[in-house]
Amino acid sequence: MDITHLVAKRSTCLRRHVGAVLVKDKKILATGYNGAPSGLPHCLDVGCLREQLGIPSGERHELCRGLHAEQNAIVQAAYHGVGIQGSTLYCTNHPCIICSKMLINAGIERIVYEEGYADDLARAMLKESGTRVEKFDRKQKAVRRKR
């Protein structure tokens, strides 16, 4: 989880810094952080569209210049031809519904997150899919399985 926090430092989001790391067989496959697509201006440069439009956190994900950390990790793996099926995603935050659906279809078997995220549909779909979801407790440096 320490690596996810290092990756999150690369975030260009003005609201929340999120890092994601895909791991399989104790090897890092890909990383991602939240920010604008390659070659486009970042929110740090042009301001936050969501702030300008008054959009609350957790709503209208499509109205944002950035991709989520989980999305960028999946894209990074695909770009470099790295298979991620059966891997574990370590993330600073619980995935939103859009990321959850992508992770399910990518064949991610396990998600370990540190901070919560108010998205009941994401939690329900991950549970229904059989994806193992576990909360990391930094104080105890331990993982608690969510049921």
Side-chain angles (χ1 to χ4, degrees), residues 37-49:
S38 297
L40 296 181
H42 293 281
C43 297
L44 289 172
D45 304 320
V46 297
C48 176
L49 177 64

Side-chain angles (χ1 to χ4, degrees), residues 9-112:
K9 289 182 179 185
R10 301 222 1 127
S11 171
T12 58
C13 179
L14 297 173
R15 284 184 159 190
R16 181 187 316 239
H17 291 223
V18 181
V21 179
L22 286 165
V23 176
K24 188 172 184 180
D25 299 327
K26 298 184 180 182
K27 293 179 180 66
I28 294 174
L29 303 177
T31 64
Y33 55 89
N34 54 332
S38 297
L40 296 181
H42 293 281
C43 297
L44 289 172
D45 304 320
V46 297
C48 176
L49 177 64
R50 295 175 62 78
E51 283 292 322
Q52 293 164 9
L53 297 174
I55 300 169
S57 180
E59 296 180 15
R60 304 293 312 268
H61 299 290
E62 75 278 8
L63 296 176
C64 180
R65 295 187 62 77
L67 285 91
H68 289 188
E70 304 92 324
Q71 294 169 345
N72 270 325
I74 292 169
V75 169
Q76 190 72 9
Y79 185 86
H80 292 287
V82 176
I84 58 174
Q85 184 176 6
S87 65
T88 295
L89 174 82
Y90 291 89
C91 196
T92 55
N93 292 77
H94 190 284
C96 72
I97 184 58
I98 295 170
C99 291
S100 294
K101 291 186 285 187
M102 292 177 69
L103 294 164
I104 291 165
N105 272 3
I108 305 306
E109 290 184 356
R110 179 174 170 239
I111 297 170
V112 178

Side-chain angles (χ1 to χ4, degrees), residues 115-128:
E115 297 295 324
Y117 191 73
D119 196 328
D120 293 335
L121 183 56
R123 291 182 196 288
M125 287 188 79
L126 287 166
K127 183 176 182 177
E128 185 178 352

